[in-house]
Amino acid sequence: MAGIMNKVWILLFWTFASLAQIPEPPRLIVRGDDMGYSHSGNLALIQSSLQGIQTSIEVIVPSPWFPEAVQLLQQHPNIDVGIHLALTSEWDKVKWRPLTEAKSLRDSDGYFFPMVYANKNYPGAAIVENKFSLADIEVEFRAQIELAKKKIPRISHISAHMGCSRINDEVNQLTKKLAKEYHLIFENTLYPFERASYDGPKETSAQKIDSFINMLRNLQAGKTYCFVDHPGLDDAELRAISHVGYEGVAVDRQGVTDVFTSQKVKDAIEALGIKLISYRDLGPLP
């Protein structure tokens, strides 16, 4: 009897040891950015979550279609949401302003500057080319966070539109401080993950799908990744939205929606054993 029990314990030991050596599957956050900049963008972002692989949505709080974004997100409470802190209004034909007075963050017409960093197509119209105030940024960031939390209480994290949190180290440290104060995850500073991007051409929907699947094949077991893009619809509204250097917005962003809702992409994720997660799946804040 003792010999049989020993064999059982040995078998159980090697079974658990084998299981312990099985690596965790790659984990992937699929993030859709810029909710609120347009009606078409709002619809595409919701579609990409409900019918596709998108796991988190970023909302631009001072944007013109923010009220609709709030309404749509209230209708779909299971969607993970982040605050896409914004200090710019980049499009030529649709603009938004700071929520606060923030004089140092406004252009001559009272809107946010179109660019964060110097851009040859918009000379002198970047935040870094003007005397911005860290105090103005803090007040504005706080206003955006507080309005977002008021309207969408389940907000889980903070990200930065056009990289505005990385203007300099002071702004980066400020953003980290605010994230901690409001109990929000900030990008990947608390839970490190790697950024994933298309592996190949991405001019058309078909190219985007194939290049996205190529990217999926390169994800490594046991690692966490985040893929970021901007779903939209190829309609009259988005065909009217652009800035110099980015004119094909409607076609480009429809392609992203096509990727996020593609059955071919869904099948590849399943075949490769990739686990889709959201920011809130990263666990409680330390």
Side-chain angles (χ1 to χ4, degrees):
M1 184 69 178
I4 294 174
M5 289 303 298
N6 285 337
K7 289 180 180 179
V8 170
W9 282 114
I10 291 171
L11 179 61
L12 288 171
F13 171 81
W14 285 112
T15 300
F16 284 115
S18 298
L19 289 173
Q21 293 174 11
I22 297 174
E24 290 290 324
R27 304 198 307 168
L28 177 64
I29 297 170
V30 180
R31 193 178 101 189
D33 278 13
D34 291 8
M35 193 172 198
Y37 82 99
S38 69
H39 173 63
S40 300
N42 287 354
L43 295 181
L45 282 153
I46 293 296
Q47 179 186 353
S48 295
S49 285
L50 298 183
Q51 302 173 20
I53 62 168
Q54 183 179 266
T55 59
S56 291
I57 289 178
E58 313 303 290
V59 179
I60 298 176
V61 179
S63 63
W65 285 87
F66 175 70
E68 183 193 55
V70 170
Q71 184 180 57
L72 290 170
L73 291 167
Q74 287 173 343
Q75 293 169 5
H76 302 287
N78 292 325
I79 296 175
D80 181 47
V81 186
I83 303 165
H84 208 37
L85 293 172
L87 296 176
T88 52
S89 178
E90 67 271 25
W91 308 115
D92 290 341
K93 298 176 184 176
V94 58
K95 290 290 182 186
W96 48 86
R97 305 171 188 269
L99 298 182
T100 61
E101 186 176 357
K103 291 182 179 179
S104 71
L105 305 178
R106 295 173 180 262
D107 67 12
S108 59
D109 296 322
Y111 300 114
F112 277 125
F113 291 104
M115 298 290 154
V116 175
Y117 304 104
N119 185 308
K120 65 179 181 181
N121 297 314
Y122 296 87
I127 297 172
V128 298
E129 294 176 302
N130 292 271
K131 294 182 179 180
F132 66 87
S133 159
L134 186 66
D136 279 353
I137 292 177
E138 178 167 0
V139 172
E140 178 62 24
F141 277 1
R142 284 186 182 278
Q144 293 182 22
I145 293 168
E146 289 176 6
L147 182 56
K149 288 177 71 69
K150 175 183 176 182
K151 297 293 186 179
I152 316 166
R154 69 181 187 273
I155 292 285
S156 67
H157 61 282
I158 290 174
S159 59
H161 183 53
M162 299 180 74
C164 67
S165 67
R166 299 188 296 274
I167 293 173
N168 60 29
D169 187 60
E170 285 184 316
V171 176
N172 191 46
Q173 293 303 319
L174 166 66
T175 312
K176 289 181 181 180
K177 181 189 80 170
L178 293 175
K180 184 176 182 180
E181 180 180 333
Y182 288 97
H183 307 290
L184 298 167
I185 298 168
F186 171 44
E187 295 278 2
N188 62 336
T189 54
L190 289 173
Y191 301 95
F193 51 69
E194 296 183 21
R195 286 297 178 90
S197 58
Y198 295 105
D199 185 5
K202 52 181 180 179
E203 298 302 314
T204 67
S205 291
Q207 287 178 342
K208 279 184 170 71
I209 289 170
D210 288 342
S211 296
F212 188 89
I213 292 173
N214 287 341
M215 174 273 293
L216 293 174
R217 294 191 181 108
N218 292 325
L219 302 185
Q220 298 178 27
K223 290 188 176 182
T224 301
Y225 299 85
C226 182
F227 179 91
V228 177
D229 214 332
H230 308 74
L233 301 177
D234 185 2
D235 62 9
E237 184 187 22
L238 283 201
R239 290 181 209 124
I241 293 178
S242 65
H243 63 71
V244 179
Y246 185 21
E247 286 79 15
V249 175
V251 171
D252 179 54
R253 297 196 172 193
Q254 177 67 62
V256 179
T257 305
D258 293 342
V259 171
F260 286 3
T261 59
S262 165
Q263 187 60 49
K264 187 176 178 181
V265 168
K266 294 175 186 176
D267 291 343
I269 289 171
E270 182 177 1
L272 293 166
I274 295 166
K275 183 178 181 180
L276 296 178
I277 65 168
S278 67
Y279 280 82
R280 64 188 176 193
D281 294 323
L282 293 171
L285 287 168

